Each structure stands twice: as C-alpha cells, then as structure tokens.
C-alpha cells in the first residue's frame, strides 16, 4: 500500500511542517534553509527533518512526564496519513498527580490490526534536567550546523530520523514497490528508567490473537552512525549493611555500617566479575550512598545503589551469574552484615551487524532491545554519540541527522528482504 497521494507536501516544502509545529514551538530561533552553495547537496527532506527534531526537543519529556511529546507525535503522524494509536502505559508510581503516559504506535495502512514484519522503534523520554533547544548561530543552516538540547541526541534524533526515513521510502519513486504495510513505528516511554514502555508493549502482544510477530526490530539509540553488534547487559542492585550504633569516641563498642558497606563496595569495584573479548570488563558504578544519622554516632544502617554493566552472556542468565559473584564478594567481607536485592537484570546483548555499508561498534549502555520479547532479528543504530548524551553539552550536527535517515532507510529495506 502506498500513501504517496496523502503525502504530496511532506518533502516538497516546509509548509506542512511549519503548520504542524506552530503550536509546539517555544523557541525564538528559526531554522533557515541551507545556503545556496549547499542547496544542491542537501537532502530534499532537510527542512522537514530539522523542524520535526526541533519540535520534539522543545517539548520537555523527562521520564514519567512524556504525555505532551506523545500527543504531539501522534498528531504529527496522523496529519501525515498514518494510522496512530496511543497505548497507555501504567505508571510504577501510584501518586495521584501522576500524568498519563503513552507509547505511540503508527503504521501506514488503514487496517486496525497491523501485521508488520519490521518494527522501527526508539524512545521519547529523556533524563533530567530539561535543557532548551538551541542551534549554532549562522545565517544559513549547513551540514556542519550544531543542534543541542536535552534529547537532541538521546533519542529524539533517532525518532526524527526514523519517521523521516519511513515517509521518504513511502514517497520515493525509486521504491515504488515498497511494502509500507509491513512496517510499524513504535515510540516508547520509560526507556531511561525501567523500560516499562517497551515492556508494556511487549506484554500487550501476548493478548492479541493471532499474536503479531516481527521478523526484525530496528532500535534507535546514539551509535555514532554505526551498526552495533551488541551491548552490555545490566543489573541494578540495592546493597544494605547493618551494624551496631554507639558513641563515636568508642568505635570498638559498635559496628559501623558505613565502614562495612564501604569495604564491601571497594572490594566489588576491585573484583573481576567477568569479561569478554567483545565487551571488555563488567563494570560497577556506585551511584548513591546513604548512611548514619550524625557525625558522632556510629552508624547502624547504610545503603548504596549500584549499576552493573555486564560483559558476559547469555542474555537470559548473565545477570544471575554476576549477582552471585557480587554476593560472594560481600560475604567475604562480612557474612552477616549485608542484604542485597537486584532487579532489571539481563546479560550481554547480541545484535545483527552484518549489513553491507555500515561500520560496526559495541556499546556499554543499556537499551530496550532486551525488553522486546520474541525471536526476531535485532538491529541497533542511530545518530550522535553517547559521550555527550545525559550531559550538559548534548548535541549533534545536521549531517549526523541526515546520515541517520539514509541509514534507517537502508536498514528497513534490508530487514524487509531478510
């Protein structure tokens, strides 16, 4: 099924995008067309791509507060002729003021029940804090123009590029036989926290009869425009230590939970928890540490939260192995003081990276790849680098976005044929 008749203005000009984005834009900055010297080399979709990316970044969507960007994206895709559904995602927080959150599902067919072969997905939530959109100064936008703001890389760049790639394939005269009805877009919430958006979508497939199955899923994350062969697994743990309170002047009469916990954490950091040739060492980050009530009181309780990036597999059991090794390390420090609880665990992830025309990479961060159940081929690819994501200098260049559009087009076509 082709939607060319419904998309005549999509890439012809920025008029459609300007109309759609008018209500969402809060920035005084205006994206100006490319300079004359670049006009011949700039892709025909540059203005539409940049306006979509701009509008997505301008809408704050820290995990847990993704409703506004979800509604915007749903309206945008509906206006372009796609069938769109908002999938409500139950919140893990039962607070009364919790706003609704939605996964955005879209497919280029009028069928109520899609049967796509390929899923194209990324996430619409970001880490805090919100950083406003900005674009490097200059009279004209060029391929080297830099765009910054929270989510400009992780992962609204992937969202904008994926949408543009699919719609360009639908309209392109070079792909008249493109099977648009075999592709679905999915943009999820909660990836930056517990992956509840993708988990909910995956679980919802089990309720459908017949159950939809994907031959392939393309996940959008910052991979420097390279195709990832996989990434480290993950395990989140809370480590608690219990001691005996007392006066700090007589430390031998008590037992410092802080001291016990610190010794345990240092030994974990120094331990060889597991490594692989592809992903290197398993690493541990002590992200939070709390303990004690006052400087002159021997602390009775202490607690730390750690994030473990797992270099060993398989996906199903790698985290179990690492958790047992951590428990053994803590027992060697004190076999009575510690209590540990872990969740969201999975071992090292494998992805397909055997696609002509792509450089390869492996990454250390976690993704939603592990949260989508099923026996499908998995591809991980996207614009920008993780080294600026989550930081105050999150940014990428126009040429990175445009290259990602072409990359996603190649991956979609490859996945449909294999």
């Amino acid at each position: 099924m082709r939607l060319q008749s419904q998309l005549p203005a999509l890439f012809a000009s920025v008029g459609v995008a300007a109309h759609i984005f008018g209500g969402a834009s809060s920035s005084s900055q205006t994206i100006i067309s490319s300079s004359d010297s670049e006009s011949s080399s700039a892709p025909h979709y540059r203005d539409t791509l940049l306006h979509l990316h701009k509008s997505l970044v301008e809408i704050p969507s820290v995990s847990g507060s993704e409703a506004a960007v979800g509604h915007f994206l749903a309206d945008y895709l509906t206006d372009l002729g796609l069938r769109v559904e908002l999938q409500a995602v139950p919140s893990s927080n039962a607070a009364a003021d919790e706003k609704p959150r939605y996964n955005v599902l879209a497919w280029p067919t009028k069928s109520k029940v899609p049967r796509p072969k390929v899923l194209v997905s990324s996430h619409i939530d970001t880490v805090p804090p919100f950083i406003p959109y900005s674009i490097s100064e200059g009279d004209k936008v060029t391929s080297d123009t830099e765009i910054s703001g929270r989510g400009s890389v992780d992962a609204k760049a992937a969202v904008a590029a994926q949408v543009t790639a699919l719609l360009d394939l639908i309209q392109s005269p070079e792909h008249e036989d493109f099977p648009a009805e075999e592709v679905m877009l999915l943009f999820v919430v909660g990836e930056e926290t517990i992956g509840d958006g993708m988990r909910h979508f995956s679980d919802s497939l089990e309720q459908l009869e017949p159950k939809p199955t994907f031959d392939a899923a393309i996940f959008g994350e910052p991979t420097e425009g390279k195709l990832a062969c996989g990434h480290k697994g993950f395990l989140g743990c809370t480590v608690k230590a219990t001691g005996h309170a007392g006066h700090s002047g007589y430390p031998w009469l008590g037992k410092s939970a802080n001291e016990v916990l610190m010794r345990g954490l240092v030994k974990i950091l120094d331990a060889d928890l597991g490594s692989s040739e592809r992903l290197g060492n398993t690493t541990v980050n002590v992200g939070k540490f709390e303990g004690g009530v006052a400087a002159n009181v021997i602390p009775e309780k202490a607690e730390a939260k750690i994030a473990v990036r797992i270099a060993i597999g398989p996906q199903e059991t790698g985290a179990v192995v690492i958790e047992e090794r951590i428990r053994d390390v803590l027992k060697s420090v004190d076999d009575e003081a510690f209590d540990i609880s872990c969740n969201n665990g999975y071992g090292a992830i494998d992805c397909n990276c055997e696609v002509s025309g792509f450089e390869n990479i492996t990454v250390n961060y976690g993704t939603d790849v592990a949260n989508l159940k099923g026996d499908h081929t998995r591809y991980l690819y996207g614009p920008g680098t993780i080294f600026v994501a989550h930081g105050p200098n999150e940014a990428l260049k126009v040429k990175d976005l445009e290259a990602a559009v072409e990359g996603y087009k190649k991956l979609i076509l490859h996945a449909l044929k294999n």
Side-chain angles (χ1 to χ4, degrees), residues 11 31 45 49 52 91 118 120 161 176-177 187 240 265 267 284 311 329 339 355 361 370 384 409:
F11 299 110
I31 296 178
Y45 49 72
L49 170 66
L52 173 55
S91 175
V118 177
V120 181
E176 292 185 357
D177 297 326
F187 302 115
K240 297 180 179 180
L265 293 174
K267 195 159 186 179
V284 178
V329 170
D339 177 65
V355 182
I361 193 175
K409 287 164 61 177

Side-chain angles (χ1 to χ4, degrees), residues 154-239:
D154 189 11
K156 293 176 179 179
V159 174
Q162 289 175 340
V163 170
T164 305
L166 177 59
L167 296 176
D168 196 33
L169 286 172
I170 292 171
Q171 178 164 319
S172 172
E174 298 177 16
H175 303 285
E176 292 185 357
D177 297 326
F178 177 69
E181 70 280 1
E182 296 181 2
V183 182
M184 172 187 275
L185 296 173
L186 170 67
F187 302 115
V188 300
V189 300
E191 190 276 341
E192 295 289 4
T193 52
I194 60 173
D196 50 343
M198 183 62 78
R199 292 172 190 267
H200 181 69
F201 171 77
S202 184
D203 290 342
S204 72
L205 299 178
E206 303 287 343
Q207 311 305 317
L208 299 179
E209 191 63 42
K211 176 186 173 183
T213 57
F214 303 106
D215 292 338
I218 300 170
F219 297 86
E221 291 283 355
T223 66
E224 302 174 19
K226 301 174 184 178
L227 193 56
C229 296
H231 64 75
K232 286 186 175 181
F234 178 81
L235 184 66
C237 298
T238 299
V239 183

Side-chain angles (χ1 to χ4, degrees), residues 86-338:
L86 289 174
Q87 182 184 58
V89 178
S91 175
S92 57
N93 183 355
D97 60 349
E98 185 78 16
K99 294 182 179 179
R101 311 155 64 219
Y102 305 96
N103 292 333
V104 181
L105 290 66
W107 56 96
T109 172
K110 294 301 181 183
S111 172
K112 280 189 176 181
V113 183
R115 292 286 181 259
K117 292 182 178 180
V118 177
L119 181 70
V120 181
S121 180
S122 191
H123 61 93
I124 53 177
D125 66 315
T126 71
V127 298
F130 174 68
I131 301 174
Y133 176 97
S134 64
I135 188 166
S136 58
E137 294 182 1
D139 292 337
K140 300 287 185 180
V141 170
T142 72
S143 60
D144 287 320
T145 296
E146 189 171 79
I147 302 169
S148 60
R150 178 60 77 227
S152 59
V153 172
D154 189 11
K156 293 176 179 179
V159 174
Q162 289 175 340
V163 170
T164 305
L166 177 59
L167 296 176
D168 196 33
L169 286 172
I170 292 171
Q171 178 164 319
S172 172
E174 298 177 16
H175 303 285
E176 292 185 357
D177 297 326
F178 177 69
E181 70 280 1
E182 296 181 2
V183 182
M184 172 187 275
L185 296 173
L186 170 67
F187 302 115
V188 300
V189 300
E191 190 276 341
E192 295 289 4
T193 52
I194 60 173
D196 50 343
M198 183 62 78
R199 292 172 190 267
H200 181 69
F201 171 77
S202 184
D203 290 342
S204 72
L205 299 178
E206 303 287 343
Q207 311 305 317
L208 299 179
E209 191 63 42
K211 176 186 173 183
T213 57
F214 303 106
D215 292 338
I218 300 170
F219 297 86
E221 291 283 355
T223 66
E224 302 174 19
K226 301 174 184 178
L227 193 56
C229 296
H231 64 75
K232 286 186 175 181
F234 178 81
L235 184 66
C237 298
T238 299
V239 183
K240 297 180 179 180
T242 300
H244 180 72
H247 194 289
S248 63
Y250 304 88
W252 56 88
L253 297 180
K255 182 178 183 178
S256 170
N258 282 357
E259 180 182 342
V260 172
L261 183 55
M262 286 189 291
R263 293 183 185 279
L265 293 174
V266 168
K267 195 159 186 179
I268 290 173
L269 292 171
D270 290 340
D272 180 4
L273 297 175
S275 61
S276 67
E277 183 177 350
R278 180 165 64 96
L279 294 171
N281 296 326
T282 296
T283 61
V284 178
N285 179 63
V286 181
K288 190 174 182 180
F289 189 109
E290 295 179 312
V293 294
N296 62 345
V297 177
I298 299 171
E300 180 183 14
K301 301 287 184 180
E303 177 179 311
K305 294 185 181 297
I306 63 174
V308 188
R309 303 293 176 172
I310 299 172
I312 65 171
Q315 176 182 332
E316 294 75 17
T317 59
V320 176
V321 173
I322 295 299
E323 181 178 344
E324 285 303 312
R325 292 176 182 177
I326 291 174
R327 290 181 182 274
D328 289 342
V329 170
L330 293 175
K331 286 180 182 178
S332 71
V333 174
D334 191 309
D335 62 0
E336 296 181 346
F338 293 105

